[in-house]
Every structure is written in structure tokens, then in C-alpha cells.
Amino acid sequence: NAGVTQTPKFQVLKTGQSMTLQCAQDMNHEYMSWYRQDPGMGLRLIHYSVGAGITDQGEVPNGYNVSRSTTEDFPLRLLSAAPSQTSVYFCASKGQPDSGNTIYFGEGSWLTVV
Amino acid sequence: GQNIDQPTEMTATEGAIVQINCTYQTSGFNGLFWYQQHAGEAPTFLSYNVLDGLEEKGRFSSFLSRSKGYSYLLLKELQMKDSASYLCAVSDSNYQLIWGAGTKLIIKP
């Protein structure tokens, strides 16, 4: 039961470097999203997708890009890493975009930008 | 704006009962979720309320009052493994989840 798989688990980047966080789900979910979690703050939505070929911005999209070429994959790209992007990142998915269905999370990616 | 409020931290004793409150102000309402998050791990689903009243699931219960914009999570017979953060989230009119900052629950022997 793979569920939502995201990699890498830990990453250290230098300011200005770029990288991609990978996310894949095997539950045939239409809705996928990326959150960041910072101490003392709730999960904040970066980008989301309601199906292949469709993406939209969340609450904190600046500095991040996404694409959704397949139902399964939803990578998050950091274009030019900044120390403010040091955070824990979670990929998540749920079955129907317009529903109250529960959301399932990947294990998280701990990113440090120095 | 949209807002979810819950206490930052609570302490309780093993074997006791604890209630974690959550109040919300959102643009629309399509249900309220509670998630548990152990340190260094991803959130995991605990409960979902969309109608007023109490939902019971083993040692955990969740209550919702839509008119008051209020929910609570009740944990009974506390165990050490219940030490975690508890996240309240509301699904708004666009079915996007608005998250509270979480309540860190510390269980003492």
C-alpha cells in the first residue's frame, strides 16, 4: 500500500540552487496538492491540481512551480532557493476535488536552504 | 479573512480525558477535520464532521456546532502514544482546507 510517496526526505540546498520535490500517488486520485509547514503556523497550501493538465495557485505560490502531466505525479519545483523556503513540505491527495473526502499525506520532505 | 483558532499546547495525565477546542471563521463550510501528527511525521486522519453533533470513534470523539463555529476533539483514557499535535482543518466553500496551527498535547505519566 504505497499511497502518497514523496522524495527526497531530507535535502540541504544553497541559496540560488534549484531542485524538484517528487510526489506520486497510486490511488487514482484527481486532487493533489503541496503544503509547507512552519513552526507555529498551520499547513499552508502552495499549489494544487484538480486533474491532469490542471494546476492552480494556493496561498503561498511564489518561488514554486508545479506541473501535472499524469494523474499519478505532481512534482514541486523550487526555482531559486531562498532561506525563507526552509520548511517541511507535504504532498497530499484526495479522491474528488469537490468533496469533503479526507486527504492523504506523503511522509514529508525536510528542506534546509543555507 | 479565514481563521482557525486552537490552543498552542495542552498537558494531560495518562489515563485522563482531554478536550481540544477549535473555533473557526471561514468563507463557507463543507466539513471539519481533525488530524493527528506525531513529531517528524505526516498528519493522519482522525475524524470528519459535517453535521452538528458528536461523532464517536473508540477513545476519540469529535463534536461540531456549525452555528457557533466550534468543534472539539475529546480523547479518553489517554495513553503516552497520544502525545502528538492535533490539527483542526475546515473545508471552505471551494473545498479547500484551511488549517489551524495545531495543538501540541503532552501526556505525563
Side-chain angles (χ1 to χ4, degrees):
Chain A
N1 296 338
V4 181
T5 305
Q6 60 177 105
T7 57
K9 181 112 179 168
F10 300 100
Q11 182 72 49
V12 178
L13 284 178
K14 293 182 179 179
T15 297
Q17 285 185 319
S18 63
M19 78 158 295
T20 299
L21 298 177
Q22 302 291 344
C23 178
Q25 53 88 12
D26 61 359
M27 297 175 281
N28 202 33
H29 283 171
E30 292 294 325
Y31 180 92
M32 296 185 73
S33 56
W34 278 102
Y35 289 93
R36 60 178 288 172
Q37 187 175 38
D38 301 292
M41 304 183 74
L43 288 159
R44 291 184 292 168
L45 184 64
I46 304 171
H47 285 284
Y48 67 99
S49 169
V50 298
I54 306 169
T55 63
D56 209 342
Q57 295 182 349
E59 179 186 356
V60 288
N62 292 341
Y64 308 94
N65 272 359
V66 291
S67 60
R68 185 91 182 271
S69 56
T70 66
T71 300
E72 293 78 21
D73 299 300
F74 191 46
L76 178 72
R77 280 180 281 277
L78 280 72
L79 308 172
S80 177
S84 61
Q85 293 179 303
T86 293
S87 188
V88 183
Y89 292 85
F90 288 101
C91 180
S93 74
K94 68 175 180 176
Q96 295 298 321
D98 298 337
S99 76
N101 287 355
T102 187
I103 198 165
Y104 297 89
F105 288 90
E107 292 186 343
S109 297
W110 275 253
L111 177 66
T112 301
V113 183
V114 298
Chain B
Q2 307 201 91
N3 195 48
I4 310 284
D5 284 319
Q6 49 181 133
T8 302
E9 187 174 296
M10 300 181 70
T11 302
T13 305
E14 189 177 16
I17 299 172
V18 71
Q19 177 175 312
I20 302 174
N21 295 325
C22 171
T23 58
Y24 63 89
Q25 290 179 307
T26 58
S27 57
F29 179 84
N30 281 302
L32 185 144
F33 294 84
W34 284 97
Y35 276 76
Q36 180 189 59
Q37 185 177 26
H38 285 101
E41 298 182 7
T44 56
F45 172 77
L46 285 178
S47 69
Y48 172 65
N49 294 68
V50 65
L51 299 176
D52 290 350
L54 187 69
E55 295 277 345
E56 297 185 81
K57 191 185 294 185
R59 294 189 299 114
F60 293 5
S61 303
S62 57
F63 171 83
L64 174 67
S65 169
R66 288 173 296 170
S67 63
K68 295 182 179 178
Y70 168 71
S71 172
Y72 67 73
L73 181 69
L74 191 71
L75 290 74
K76 303 176 184 176
E77 301 169 15
L78 285 170
Q79 302 175 10
M80 297 304 293
K81 68 179 182 179
D82 298 329
S83 292
S85 288
Y86 291 85
L87 312 181
C88 174
V90 171
S91 179
D92 70 8
S93 56
N94 295 318
Y95 293 95
Q96 294 292 355
L97 288 177
I98 311 301
W99 294 85
T103 299
K104 182 178 181 180
L105 178 63
I106 299 168
I107 310 295
K108 295 186 175 180

